[in-house]
Amino acid sequence: MPLDEYRRKRDRRRTPEPVPDTDPDAGPDAAGDRFVVQEHHATALHWDLRLERDGVLASWAVPKGLPEDSETVRMAVRTEDHPLEYLDFHGEIPRGEYGGGAMTVWDTGRYDTEKWNDREVAFVLHGDRARGRFVLLHRTDGQGHERTDRWLLRRTREQPDLGGSGDRAPLPRELPLAVPAPAQTLPSGTGWRVRPVFGGRRVLLRVDGGRLTARPVTDDGVPGDPIDTPGALRDLGPALGAGGHLLDAELTGRGELWIADVLHTGGRDVRALPLDERRALLETLPLDGPHRRVAPLYPNAGMQLLDAVAAQGLPGAVAVREGSAYPDGPTDDWRRVRVGGPRATPLHRDGYGRAALSNPDKVLYPATGTTKAEVLAHYLAVAEAMLPHLDGRPVTLKRWPDGVEAPSFFEKNVSRHAPAWLRTARVGTPGGRSETADFPVLADAEGLAWAANLAALELHVPQWRLGPRDGRHPPDRVVFDLDPGEGTTVVDCARVARWLADLLDEHGLPVYPSTSGGKGLQLYLPVRVTEPERTSEFAREVAERLAAEHPKQVIAVMTRARRRGKVFVDWSQNNTAKTTIASYSLRGRERPTVATPLTWDEVDACREPADLVFTCDDLPARLDAYGDLMRPLLDTEGFRLPRGGTLHAVSS
């Protein structure tokens, strides 16, 4: 029935979403012509496009929103049909439920159907914000076979006359920024506007589909590789919504963002507009927040303004000629005057910030030719998503100084070669060579770059965080490591993962899947416990329950000889002395595979081992499409575990 899948995924007792008792009657005139686009802050921000059809809402999840121009193609994922009551639904779906998070109506209206079949859906939207002709094309797997849920969404080049819905300029990826001419003092006379410089790093902000990327800008106006965005600024992308924006800004060392100018917004390249018009556009955007704001712009007051800048300990000011367009590169219409104060941390091209990179061209993965510089590029690309999961956890490095075909070794104690700026934590190591070791604690992209320079391809962390004076907080996660025995693959692990998830769902406990970057899968559960051993005990109960219910497919004991043809649910990694590969870490395998968070749809759809293998080349696009799928581990306070023995007491 049309809404069976929708009802299967929802419990009306737990979610405010409409859950109708019966299916709609789809008569000959039931095509309908209403649509809604909803902004959905779930595990990853996305937009849901829903078109009325045959008494239900045919639905697609569009991670980056509707394209604004004909050159941009968006990924769209076909989801289950929704009831018509969803046309005006908005509210908070509880965390832990399917689609948990805030949902608002972004736009609504009517639409015209131009074509509708299994391969192509062409339609014209008549909304306030969503206007124009679009087409959805069913995506194939490269061999001509259609993938059931993967579609491509684009805006057609030829557009009907809907009043402002015509084709727009695509959001560029490479664009030089203005380079002010150095000056000894501010220009004299009127006709200039002046803004302070706050002593931070100049960045180009790119916001596309609610996702924010910050790229540091060199002295010649060229944007570099993306840097990690401070956590307090991560809501800026969602605040700006699905449209595309390019902003000239300054990011201070304290994580404060000052936005100075706009280059592209609303599907328009606005660089040719005069300063006052660009400024007016900038002030209409939702940029103000606790740690961000539009940089103040003052009429030129010469030395009086410079004195005020100097009195506040700021390093200088930039004067911009009134009426001038935004220039490409060097210009005399912008002038910078220095008066002292702090300088921004430079970005090194053989490394990142304070972390230098030696032998950048050294090949660490001979099978693919992946170099140390490319390893660094991977860790900088995933830094924004990865660092919150490393924050406060002592890291064990696994290093391959001569590449993955040569010997490797684990390293915990880094006191001999850690730079002074890197945080280390002295942690007890019972059973080790010494009673304690100085572990690195990687809190920023510079720390990741330092590890990459050591050829530390793998980063392993415990399931607990450091407390005051490097003590241990109780564990905040439970991990289930699904290890395929001889004769089984990750396909079998995916089936066991679903059984495990369904079991924990009976107790209201959500788990989040990830590849290990190797042969198996991992499932993570955010928890709140007071006794450190409770997580290991609980994981063992779950593993033993699954092994009892599925004795031919699952094993819960470590004896390797007994694992043939079965998946081992390894509960032991919850021991506080053990570590697990960190999300987004590379693995020291033949190819540069990555421990990659997954959607449950990907787990359920796994039919071949290659379906769940991702390398460093895949991660930027995945993060662009899904964001951090492990974010719920950070956003929840953690679940309380059922009392001991509860899982055994539930009948199979």
Side-chain angles (χ1 to χ4, degrees):
M1 300 297 284
L3 297 179
D4 280 355
E5 181 69 6
Y6 177 89
R7 281 191 287 264
R8 186 186 70 80
K9 293 182 176 181
R10 289 163 179 84
D11 184 341
R12 69 177 70 218
R13 297 168 300 180
R14 298 181 179 179
T15 179
E17 299 166 279
V19 184
D21 293 319
T22 60
D23 283 308
D25 295 325
D29 299 322
D33 67 350
R34 294 174 293 177
F35 83 89
V36 65
V37 178
Q38 286 155 323
E39 184 174 320
H40 194 174
H41 293 256
T43 303
L45 172 65
H46 64 275
W47 281 260
D48 291 311
L49 168 65
R50 312 193 197 282
L51 306 176
E52 183 179 5
R53 184 79 173 177
D54 295 332
V56 296
L57 296 177
S59 299
W60 288 262
V62 187
K64 297 178 69 173
L66 303 183
E68 293 186 326
D69 59 87
S70 59
E71 296 183 24
T72 299
V73 178
R74 300 290 202 215
M75 183 183 77
V77 179
R78 183 73 161 91
T79 60
E80 71 277 8
D81 292 339
H82 283 52
L84 294 180
E85 292 87 343
Y86 230 91
L87 280 165
D88 57 4
F89 172 72
H90 60 91
E92 186 78 24
I93 303 172
R95 293 289 180 184
E97 294 301 303
Y98 175 74
M103 180 175 286
T104 58
V105 174
W106 187 80
D107 197 16
T108 188
R110 55 169 295 272
Y111 78 100
D112 300 322
T113 302
E114 295 189 341
K115 182 183 292 187
W116 194 297
N117 57 48
D118 291 341
R119 300 180 62 87
E120 181 178 353
V121 176
F123 53 96
V124 178
L125 298 181
H126 300 271
D128 293 327
R129 304 170 77 177
R131 299 175 63 81
R133 179 184 288 117
F134 299 84
V135 62
L136 282 158
L137 299 172
H138 213 156
R139 194 174 175 188
T140 64
D141 61 3
Q143 299 178 352
H145 304 299
E146 290 181 349
R147 301 180 63 180
T148 56
D149 60 349
R150 295 295 190 267
W151 295 66
L152 298 176
L153 173 63
R154 65 179 181 85
R155 184 184 183 94
T156 62
R157 191 175 300 278
E158 296 76 25
Q159 287 288 317
D161 184 9
L162 299 178
S165 67
D167 195 18
R168 302 180 180 184
L171 188 65
R173 291 196 171 275
E174 295 297 329
L175 208 61
L177 270 66
V179 178
Q184 296 299 315
T185 187
L186 292 175
S188 59
T190 60
W192 294 84
R193 304 289 294 279
V194 181
R195 58 178 169 84
V197 174
F198 294 92
R201 173 183 294 177
R202 191 180 182 194
V203 292
L204 174 65
L205 299 180
R206 188 177 197 271
V207 181
D208 188 13
R211 279 128 180 113
L212 173 67
T213 303
R215 300 173 63 186
V217 180
T218 62
D219 289 342
D220 55 2
V222 177
D225 293 328
I227 60 175
D228 57 309
T229 306
L233 298 176
R234 289 184 187 135
D235 66 335
L236 177 56
L240 286 167
H245 310 272
L246 287 179
L247 305 171
D248 186 347
E250 183 180 353
L251 180 61
T252 72
R254 294 185 296 178
E256 296 172 338
L257 188 70
W258 296 91
I259 300 100
D261 215 324
V262 57
L263 292 75
H264 191 108
T265 187
R268 300 170 58 201
D269 184 336
V270 299
R271 290 176 295 168
L273 296 179
L275 172 63
D276 58 342
E277 293 186 30
R278 297 199 312 275
R279 183 72 179 189
L281 284 173
L282 196 65
E283 291 177 349
T284 64
L285 299 177
L287 297 174
D288 283 349
H291 298 277
R292 62 176 191 265
R293 65 197 65 185
V294 175
L297 197 63
Y298 304 105
N300 186 22
M303 288 304 300
Q304 182 179 356
L305 182 58
L306 280 185
D307 289 344
V309 168
Q312 295 180 55
L314 301 180
V318 171
V320 181
R321 191 187 302 274
E322 291 182 353
S324 63
Y326 189 97
D328 293 337
T331 177
D332 197 49
D333 286 338
W334 288 37
R335 301 182 189 178
R336 174 161 181 164
V337 179
R338 297 184 185 276
V339 295
R343 295 288 302 276
T345 301
L347 174 72
H348 299 292
R349 295 180 182 274
D350 57 335
Y352 183 88
R354 292 169 289 183
L357 187 69
S358 60
N359 301 320
D361 297 325
K362 185 172 185 175
V363 174
L364 298 182
Y365 292 87
T368 58
T370 305
T371 65
K372 185 188 284 190
E374 290 169 315
V375 167
L376 170 61
H378 163 75
Y379 278 113
L380 294 181
V382 302
E384 180 179 351
M386 184 181 197
L387 284 168
H389 299 286
L390 298 178
D391 188 32
R393 300 183 196 272
V395 175
T396 297
L397 310 177
K398 191 172 184 183
R399 298 175 55 188
W400 279 263
D402 297 310
V404 297
E405 294 182 353
S408 64
F409 61 93
F410 283 98
E411 183 173 55
K412 299 179 179 180
N413 195 340
V414 297
S415 58
R416 292 173 297 171
H417 53 71
W421 51 263
L422 182 76
R423 180 189 171 190
T424 60
R426 182 155 296 179
V427 178
T429 55
R433 294 182 179 179
S434 60
E435 293 184 358
T436 61
D438 292 324
F439 288 76
V441 182
L442 305 182
D444 51 33
E446 289 173 318
L448 290 176
W450 167 80
N453 186 52
L454 296 177
L457 304 180
E458 293 186 3
L459 307 178
H460 296 251
V461 292
Q463 312 312 318
W464 47 268
R465 294 179 184 273
L466 292 163
R469 294 187 293 277
D470 294 341
R472 299 184 184 187
H473 280 305
D476 58 354
R477 305 184 304 192
V478 172
V479 61
F480 301 94
D481 189 31
L482 308 185
D483 186 8
E486 184 181 353
T488 64
T489 69
V490 72
V491 178
D492 303 281
C493 292
R495 184 167 65 249
V496 174
R498 172 50 71 186
W499 294 338
L500 193 153
D502 289 344
L503 169 60
L504 293 187
D505 186 59
E506 296 174 11
H507 298 270
L509 301 175
V511 285
Y512 301 92
S514 175
T515 73
S516 66
K519 298 179 180 179
L521 292 179
Q522 293 165 339
L523 303 178
Y524 287 93
L525 165 67
V527 298
R528 185 169 66 237
V529 299
T530 56
E531 300 173 349
E533 64 275 9
R534 181 65 189 115
T535 54
S536 188
E537 293 170 353
F538 174 76
R540 183 171 185 171
E541 290 177 26
V542 173
E544 291 176 346
R545 164 93 181 263
L546 282 176
E549 292 183 349
H550 306 279
K552 294 183 178 180
Q553 297 92 359
V554 180
I555 188 170
V557 296
M558 298 185 184
T559 308
R560 188 168 295 276
R562 297 175 58 185
R563 296 188 201 172
R564 181 178 177 82
K566 298 181 181 181
V567 172
F568 172 44
V569 180
D570 187 356
W571 48 268
S572 69
Q573 292 189 34
N574 296 283
N575 184 313
T576 55
K578 290 194 174 183
T579 60
T580 306
I581 193 71
S583 295
Y584 307 107
S585 174
L586 287 164
R587 299 307 300 262
R589 306 297 173 112
E590 181 182 18
R591 299 165 61 206
T593 54
V594 179
T596 306
L598 302 169
T599 68
W600 274 110
D601 285 343
E602 289 176 308
V603 175
D604 293 337
C606 179
R607 298 294 180 269
E608 301 289 339
D611 292 343
L612 297 182
V613 175
F614 303 96
T615 68
C616 57
D617 291 337
D618 299 314
L619 265 293
R622 284 188 64 84
L623 286 170
D624 209 25
Y626 297 118
D628 177 18
L629 291 171
M630 285 291 150
R631 188 72 198 180
L633 296 180
L634 306 171
D635 290 341
T636 65
E637 294 183 2
F639 295 87
R640 293 194 181 277
L641 296 177
R643 57 185 174 81
T646 301
L647 291 170
H648 291 299
V650 178
S651 59
S652 60

